[in-house]
Amino acid sequence: MSPAMAIVKDQSKANDDVLDSQYQKGVKHLCENGINKVPRKYIWPDSDRPNAADHKQPLLHVTMPNLNLPIIDFSQLVGPNRSQVLKSLSIACEQYGFFQVVNHGITNDVINNMIDVSTRFFALPFEERSKYMSSDMTAPVRTLAVSYAKETKFLFMRIVEAILESLGVWGATMNGGGGNDDEILKPFEDGSQLMVVNYYPACPEPDLTLGMPPHSDYGFLTLLLQDEVQGLQIQHQDKWVTVQPIPNSFVVNVGDHLEIFSNGRYKSVLHRVLVNSVKSRISVASLHSLPLESIIRPLPALIDKANPRRYKDTDFSSFLGYISSCEPKRKNFLESRKLMI
């Protein structure tokens, strides 16, 4: 996972000692204690702030107006428009790395309940929230999140089926050719799912910091549910653009694993989160991939003389080893897996 904030290390040790316990309790705890300035710990360098211009690469920090991502209407996958929807899905994965899914089959009640329970959780006093805290990524979800997790896993599998068909490999095996649909889908059915609920409080100085720094997602696909408050930005055509939320939709993005799996045809894309001074924001990310012990490699059916293999094998332990040896930034890990061709 990418670090949530850049850390500026020029503050005094005395201040660190005083604030350290509060930092460990999270940004919301700081806000509840009435801060009116962003602590130095969370202030980004000038060149990395939301509205800063990078003089070496000036386009990378220019922010464009809101972006309407490609919309994939899942109800149209059944019927005469299926081929057109698959074509739109392929273009979205190639050119944007993101798309929004509507008419996905998950009821408004399930979606609203997930947003509601997340909001109520973060409204609890810190002492109550801390009872649910765990550093164990495999800890099970609880209460209403269980139903939501099952529904998003089912939706993930439907999206995987559509993506495989859009890649032209439906019926190919993981080892290349001659298999059936069940064989290629089985590893995804048994795959990993990590749910992350993010709360971004209103920030007194939003121009100094980010809710989340630029990064790509490590897994295969991420399904993001967000409330009506804007904040998600993606890098598109060398500019930062704000994603316009659509009620009861899911923002879906290509992860590093899908970029490797597709041998570079579908791209994971840098994205970040802005904060604002007026409203808090809630999002629920459901990150999906193959089983944690799997070896991720380009699908053999997508490799030929015209499209040679572009990525090394990788696995979760390689990722953990990489982030333990250096600070993960942008798409550095994925770049480390590319082959020189």
Side-chain angles (χ1 to χ4, degrees), residues 134-307:
S134 171
S135 59
D136 181 7
M137 290 195 304
T138 65
V141 296
R142 311 175 192 181
T143 67
L144 293 172
V146 174
S147 174
Y148 179 83
K150 291 179 179 178
E151 295 276 3
T152 50
K153 179 59 180 284
F154 181 74
L155 177 58
F156 163 72
M157 290 303 302
R158 293 179 64 202
I159 297 174
V160 167
E161 291 174 6
I163 282 178
L164 293 175
E165 188 170 351
S166 75
L167 286 169
V169 296
W170 194 240
T173 70
M174 299 291 282
N175 295 315
N180 56 48
D181 296 348
D182 290 340
E183 186 173 348
I184 197 171
L185 283 178
K186 186 64 166 62
F188 293 100
E189 292 172 348
D190 298 336
S192 59
Q193 178 178 7
L194 176 66
M195 284 182 56
V196 181
V197 181
N198 296 304
Y199 177 85
Y200 305 95
C203 175
E205 298 175 300
D207 291 340
L208 299 182
T209 190
L210 290 170
M212 193 170 290
H215 67 285
S216 61
D217 288 352
Y218 172 71
F220 197 86
L221 287 175
T222 298
L223 280 60
L224 181 73
L225 174 66
Q226 54 183 340
D227 61 18
E228 78 285 355
V229 181
Q230 297 176 8
L232 175 64
Q233 288 193 323
I234 72 169
Q235 197 173 100
H236 180 62
Q237 297 179 348
D238 292 327
K239 297 178 177 68
W240 286 111
V241 291
T242 301
V243 173
Q244 180 67 39
I246 298 177
N248 297 321
S249 70
F250 286 89
V251 174
V252 181
N253 65 280
V254 172
D256 293 348
H257 285 178
L258 177 50
E259 180 168 332
I260 293 173
F261 183 87
S262 69
N263 200 34
R265 178 173 165 184
Y266 293 168
K267 303 290 188 183
S268 66
V269 170
L270 288 176
H271 51 288
R272 67 182 187 180
V273 177
L274 303 186
V275 290
N276 70 83
S277 61
V278 179
K279 288 185 176 182
S280 61
R281 178 175 177 268
I282 287 277
S283 69
V284 184
S286 186
L287 297 93
H288 299 261
S289 195
L290 297 163
L292 293 179
E293 66 275 11
S294 295
I295 302 297
I296 310 298
R297 56 173 59 97
L299 192 67
L302 298 175
I303 299 172
D304 55 31
K305 289 183 178 180
N307 298 287

